[in-house]
Structure formats: structure tokens, C-alpha cells
Amino acid sequence: MLKTANLFVLSGLALCLAACGNDTTETAATDAPVLPQLVFPGEEIPDPYHRAYTLTENAEGTVRVFTRETRDDTDLYEMLLQDDGSWSEPVKLEWPKLRSNVAPHFSPFDGRLYFASDRPAPGLENRDDMNIWSIERTEDGWGEAEYVPGNIHYGSDETSVTTTANGDMYFVSQRREGPGGHDFYVAHYDETTEGWIFDGLLPEGNTSLVESHIAATADGRHLVFYSRMRPILGNVDLKVLTRADDGSWIGPYTLGPNINSRGIEFGASFSATGDTFFYSQEGRLVEMPMDAFMAEIDAARAAYLADEELQFLGLSDN
């Protein structure tokens, strides 16, 4: 009787699969997550001295800029959209520096490319710290880089910058008031002085560890950055802070295994249109559509708020 019953169940299952196979396949395909894809397909994992990160794209979708390290230098590289829809081979931007031009960011606020550089700052030619600069990209090419006006520079390294569409700025600095070696600070653009005004330490997300490579969504609701704060899947993970409706911050919380791995994830960035999320996985550039990335953010935040972050990350058997 048992064997007959099992055969009946299996026969029914086979008939169902035959009759409903298309629906089952369609549902499985719909439920499958959209995973990050390599910007340079087939690229092997680079050694620690030749990593690429912080890829950004302008609002027109025609220019991409990213950071690439060598053993002795760090430079910005440019790619241009071709007529056939492909991207040109990366070309190093031969811009002034001592050792580093780094962390590019096409701003949704003013369209300019912001970046950090150790080139001599105006009136401070004897200093070699990193400062924030910006430059305009036109149809005719790049203009002249400008030292970002205002009072955000401190005399120590400012190494990473991101802006929102309404003129908020988040950046990384080594100011003394921070709890760690690199911490997040906030500024805003002042229309009267036409400069960026320092507001203070970001109230969340800073620890005694190194946090850096901060990237804001254009609406300012989410901040993505790298950190070693726990819980952690790999050596360095991508974390998120989300601004609640009352202005407070939720998190930081850790993105799940579709984004983070057992290795190194860093260098988060967004296209200026907000359509694409970029980051670096083991030193290789990857990209994914923004709606897929937002689904990852939502899942990670829900687990964090439900106090189920360890289970979500696969770090607990409970």
C-alpha cells in the first residue's frame, strides 16, 4: 500500500510539472536575485597593489571614472561610452598629484566630479595631505580642477567624498574629534557663500576602526561604506546607514551574502542618475541595477530591525 501511494504521489507530481512547467520556471526566474556582475568580465582577482574601486558614472551615462592602485601610486582612470554601447578601454587621467588621485564621485547636486588628491592646495604648497577637489566634464573634455571652497578642510587627510541631490556632503577625514583614524563628517552647500560648510561628525557609523569609502544615494536616505565592525562576513564588509522619517539613523547594518563575501568588499559608489550601484569585490569592479541593490538593502535592514542579522548573514545556527 505504501509503495502504491508513493507511486501515485510521484505520478501526480510528474503530471503537475508537465502541465505547469512554464509557470514553475517563470516563478523561479522571477524569484532569483539579481547578482553583481563584473565590469570587466573574466578579470582575475588582482594582487593587493593593483586593485580598482569607486567607479562612478556621470548623469548623461557617457563617462565613467574609477580609482586604480599600483604599487607606488593611485590614479583615476576614465572610460567613454562608444557608439555601439560598449565602453572604451580605461585611460589614466594625467592629473597633478604627489602620489594619489582617488575616490571619484559624479555629484547629483552640481554634476561635477569630486575626488581627493594630495596635490598642493592653494596657499598650502608645503603640505602633502589629501584634500577634496572638483572638476567639470564637458563635451570638450575636462576643465581645471578646483580646490573645494568652504571650511571642510582641516589640515589632515580628507580621503573620500559623496554628495546628495539637495547639497549635503559626507566625507572622510582624520580630524582629532573622531573616534577612529578615519571618520565620517557632514557638510552642506551654502548658496550665499558658494562654499561647503562643515557641520560636524556624522552621529552614527563611526568607530575606533577604519571606516571609509562612503557613498550616499542621491536622495540622502542611505549611506553605504566599508568597515570591519561586527557582525562581519569577510575581511571588510559593506555596511549601510538608513535615515528614518524622523531624521534619525537606522544601523549600521551589514549587507547580505549576495553583496558581501568572505573576502574584501569596499569602494561603494553610484551613478549620478542613481540607476546603478558599483563597488569593488576583491579589487575587481562590479555593478548591479539600483532596484536590485535596494532589494538587498531592504532585506538587510529588515533582518537588523528584527534582531535577526546573524541568521540573515549565515553567522548563527539559531
Side-chain angles (χ1 to χ4, degrees), residues 13 46 73 79 117 129 133 142 153 231 234 245 252 275 286:
L13 178 60
D73 295 280
M79 296 186 294
S117 178
D129 57 304
W133 298 70
W142 295 101
H153 295 113
D245 292 340
D275 294 335
V286 296

Side-chain angles (χ1 to χ4, degrees), residues 36 238 255-261 265 277 279 281 288 293 296:
L238 292 184
L255 290 168
N258 288 335
I259 302 295
N260 288 311
S261 71
E265 277 71 37
F277 173 64
Y279 69 103
Q281 192 170 70
M288 66 189 304
F293 181 59
E296 296 293 335

Side-chain angles (χ1 to χ4, degrees), residues 179-180 182-185 201-209 211 229 252:
H182 294 77
D183 299 293
F184 301 132
Y185 295 86
L201 190 72
L202 183 68
E204 303 291 343
N206 291 305
T207 72
S208 59
L209 304 171
E211 284 83 34
M229 72 176 71

Side-chain angles (χ1 to χ4, degrees), residues 17-159:
L17 289 175
C20 309
N22 289 339
D23 292 339
T24 304
T25 303
E26 186 175 326
T27 300
T30 302
D31 292 340
V34 177
L35 300 177
Q37 301 295 314
L38 287 172
V39 172
F40 303 114
E43 180 185 18
E44 295 183 358
I45 296 176
D47 65 59
Y49 302 104
H50 294 85
R51 298 177 297 186
Y53 51 95
T54 55
L55 189 156
T56 185
E57 183 179 304
N58 68 345
E60 295 73 25
T62 57
V63 181
R64 286 181 169 183
V65 181
F66 66 92
T67 307
R68 176 175 284 165
E69 298 173 339
T70 64
R71 184 174 293 271
D72 299 316
D73 295 280
T74 306
D75 291 282
L76 301 182
Y77 286 75
E78 176 187 52
M79 296 186 294
L80 303 179
L81 185 67
Q82 306 297 289
D83 291 338
D84 63 0
S86 65
W87 291 94
S88 65
E89 290 297 315
V91 175
K92 183 168 74 171
L93 294 171
E94 299 290 352
W95 291 351
K97 63 170 187 170
L98 298 178
R99 292 189 61 177
S100 298
N101 289 317
V102 66
H105 162 68
F106 273 115
S107 172
F109 173 66
D110 58 14
R112 295 175 68 86
L113 181 79
Y114 287 73
F115 64 100
S117 178
D118 61 359
R119 68 185 68 190
L124 302 169
E125 285 76 11
N126 293 327
R127 287 203 339 228
D128 60 359
D129 57 304
M130 301 286 290
N131 294 289
I132 298 172
W133 298 70
S134 75
I135 189 169
E136 184 179 11
R137 183 63 160 84
T138 69
E139 293 181 357
D140 299 324
W142 295 101
E144 291 293 326
E146 299 178 4
Y147 187 68
V148 169
N151 65 346
I152 64 172
H153 295 113
Y154 182 69
S156 60
D157 287 337
E158 280 77 40
T159 58

